[in-house]
Amino acid sequence: MIPVAIAALGALLMMVHLAVTQPQELARQRQLAGDVAAANFYAYRGAVISYLNANPGTTGTVADGGLTWPLGYIRNPAWTNLVDSGTLYTYSTTVPSNEAMEAIAKRGGRSMMIGYKTAGNTMTSINGAAAGFTLPAAMVPVPAGAVVVIGK
């Protein structure tokens, strides 16, 4: 009887431990995944900026073939770019996780030039303020909630 009671007590302690630590562990994993996505986004954006510095008259979308990737970079197909009237728009073609958006904003210094695309094809800054930027017509198909970073 005593071994059964000890085993039950051990199982109870393990369940309590998992109930307390598991949500924290999942939150850390989501935060880490968001930080990885942000690093990947800014590596992509940096490659586009390097290309534009070498080719200042570029318009439209800079193709991947013209970009020089950092060593070890794995291309995330969610990121793309558009150069319209001399302004660079680096954005996602999907809605990123909240953790990824937060990490992108943090790495970008919470600039007003970082935000979400709205359904009306404008941008709302990451801080929640209407940034007053109307996005190019080519970005209309991009889903509302996608991350947008304007400028170099």
Side-chain angles (χ1 to χ4, degrees), residues 103-139:
I104 288 169
K106 186 176 178 182
R107 283 180 181 252
R110 297 202 156 291
S111 168
M112 290 293 291
M113 304 304 273
I114 301 169
Y116 300 92
K117 180 188 179 285
T118 66
N121 206 40
T122 60
M123 187 183 89
T124 299
S125 82
I126 194 72
N127 301 322
F133 295 111
T134 299
L135 300 173
M139 290 179 66

Side-chain angles (χ1 to χ4, degrees), residues 3-17:
V4 172
I6 292 172
L9 179 61
L12 177 66
L13 290 174
M14 186 171 69
M15 288 188 314
V16 168
H17 173 72

